């Protein structure tokens, strides 16, 4: 291993991982080394630039805590999250499309009954959300578990407020035996992702805006079906064509109708993909 140079070091590093017991880990590490080294050669990476990159990654990690995941934000803004989602959610036509998870999901959200108000005092215009969870053949999926969460009218999620005593604008409920669900919440509004960390600095340095179009998060679980993680976006939002995390899909854009009394109404049905059955030997 002596006297390695820029032309021979890549194969030497790959050889170091040749004995990796897990074949998938070996494949990933080998490809990672190849592409990282190729990137450094392609851009003629300087030592000062590499140190700046290390500082950026260090700052990204330091910005993470139990309420914020800056690495997810970085992955989202580089399009890597959505690429991974797209590769791993190649569903049949007619199924609801998946999109990014986002950095502000919270385990242990409060439980609600159908018809309850999940906003919990969050600021925003009142909105009724309802629909049906179905299978591909149109039959209802009974009692599906639904997680919902969203930002408030100020563009903040509850976890971004230090003073809140309990969660807001998020909750867990079950569809009924006919797959129907309905709950009260607030109108989704466009908002900027947090820009007070290294990801925000990256967006500024590259002249990219931090805005996400208005949306409501859903995560839906039902036995016999693939978990669905998705959003429902508001039609005519100005950022639908330039979502900072590349998460918009046309099939996920819906009309949030304004009622005469000033409240809003969202009617959206979800179609789940059945879990693939493995053949018994």
């Amino acid at each position: 291993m002596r006297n390695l140079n820029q032309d021979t070091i890549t194969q030497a590093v790959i050889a170091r991982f040749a004995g990796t017991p897990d074949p998938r880990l070996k494949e990933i590490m080998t490809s990672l080394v190849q592409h990282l080294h190729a990137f450094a050669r392609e851009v003629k990476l300087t030592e000062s630039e590499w140190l700046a990159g290390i500082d950026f990654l260090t700052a990204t990690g330091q910005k993470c805590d139990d309420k914020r995941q800056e690495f997810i934000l970085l992955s989202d803004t580089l399009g890597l999250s959505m690429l991974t989602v797209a590769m791993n959610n190649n569903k049949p036509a007619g199924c609801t499309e998946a999109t990014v998870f986002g950095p502000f999901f919270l385990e242990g959200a409060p439980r609600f009954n159908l018809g309850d108000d999940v906003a919990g005092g969050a600021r925003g215009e009142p909105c009724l959300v309802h629909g049906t969870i179905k299978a591909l053949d149109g039959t209802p999926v009974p009692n599906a578990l639904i997680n919902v969460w969203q930002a408030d009218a100020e563009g903040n999620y509850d976890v971004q407020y230090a003073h809140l005593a309990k969660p807001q604008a998020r909750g867990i409920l079950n569809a009924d035996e006919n797959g129907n669900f309905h709950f009260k919440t607030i109108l989704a509004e466009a908002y900027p992702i947090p820009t007070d960390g290294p990801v925000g600095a990256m967006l500024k340095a590259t002249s990219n805006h931090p805005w996400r179009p208005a949306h409501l998060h859903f995560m839906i679980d039902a036995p016999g079906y693939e978990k669905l993680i998705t959003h429902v976006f508001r039609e005519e939002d100005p950022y639908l064509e330039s979502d900072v995390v590349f998460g918009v899909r046309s099939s996920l854009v819906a009309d949030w109708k304004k009622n005469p009394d000033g409240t809003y109404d969202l009617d959206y049905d979800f179609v789940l993909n059945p879990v693939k059955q493995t053949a018994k030997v």
Side-chain angles (χ1 to χ4, degrees):
M1 287 299 204
R2 297 184 183 184
N3 303 320
L4 292 174
N5 58 38
Q6 62 179 306
D7 299 316
T8 60
I9 190 171
T10 302
Q11 289 306 313
V13 176
I14 291 172
R16 188 67 61 83
F17 292 107
T20 303
D22 185 326
R24 177 60 174 163
L25 178 59
K26 178 182 177 181
E27 177 187 10
I28 291 172
M29 292 302 299
T30 298
S31 184
L32 177 64
V33 170
Q34 289 174 327
H35 286 281
L36 279 176
H37 286 215
F39 161 75
R41 291 187 178 98
E42 179 182 342
V43 302
K44 296 179 174 58
L45 194 66
T46 67
E47 291 175 272
S48 61
E49 290 166 343
W50 178 229
L51 287 174
I54 290 174
D55 288 341
F56 174 81
L57 293 175
T58 300
T60 300
Q62 291 170 339
K63 198 65 177 178
C64 298
D65 57 29
D66 61 338
K67 295 182 178 180
R68 175 163 170 180
Q69 235 301 348
E70 191 79 358
F71 272 111
I72 291 180
L73 207 59
L74 175 60
S75 175
D76 288 351
T77 55
L78 293 177
L80 183 58
S81 296
M82 199 58 221
L83 172 60
T84 305
V85 168
M87 290 191 301
N88 287 274
N89 288 272
N90 188 18
K91 303 174 186 293
C95 287
T96 302
E97 293 186 271
T99 189
V100 292
F101 194 47
F104 293 117
F105 174 75
L106 183 66
E107 293 284 357
R111 294 295 302 247
F112 291 96
N113 295 317
L114 290 176
D116 284 349
D117 186 353
V118 306
R123 287 169 288 185
E125 299 179 75
C127 181
L128 175 64
V129 180
H130 53 93
T132 304
I133 300 172
K134 306 175 182 179
L136 259 176
D137 62 3
T139 58
V141 176
N143 307 314
L145 185 69
I146 305 169
N147 264 273
V148 294
W149 66 102
Q150 68 177 105
D152 64 14
E154 304 300 318
N156 295 317
Y157 288 81
D158 54 359
V159 294
Q160 294 176 272
Y161 292 111
H163 66 278
L164 290 181
K166 60 180 182 178
Q168 291 184 339
R170 69 174 70 240
I172 304 171
L173 60 154
N174 287 90
D176 67 18
E177 64 276 6
N178 295 313
N180 298 317
F181 66 90
H182 63 285
F183 59 91
K184 298 171 185 175
T185 185
I186 53 174
L187 181 68
E189 302 280 4
Y191 65 87
I193 63 170
T195 57
D196 59 338
V199 173
M202 178 193 72
L203 292 175
K204 183 178 180 180
T206 56
S207 298
N208 280 293
H209 75 69
W211 285 85
R212 295 221 63 203
H215 61 275
L216 176 59
H217 292 262
F218 283 84
M219 182 167 69
I220 302 174
D221 285 281
Y225 295 90
E226 294 178 359
K227 178 184 290 187
L228 174 64
I229 297 172
T230 195
H231 306 351
V232 180
F233 296 90
R234 275 182 66 190
E235 184 66 88
E236 299 181 355
D237 189 284
Y239 298 105
L240 287 173
E241 302 299 329
S242 61
D243 180 10
V244 67
V245 307
F246 308 95
V248 178
R249 295 294 179 266
S250 295
S251 66
L252 302 177
V253 179
D255 183 16
W256 300 52
K257 297 179 181 178
K258 189 172 185 178
N259 299 314
D261 63 359
T263 64
Y264 285 80
D265 188 275
L266 171 63
D267 184 10
Y268 194 88
D269 294 339
F270 296 91
V271 180
L272 304 186
N273 192 31
V275 173
K276 295 178 181 177
Q277 300 295 322
T278 56
K280 293 183 179 179
V281 179

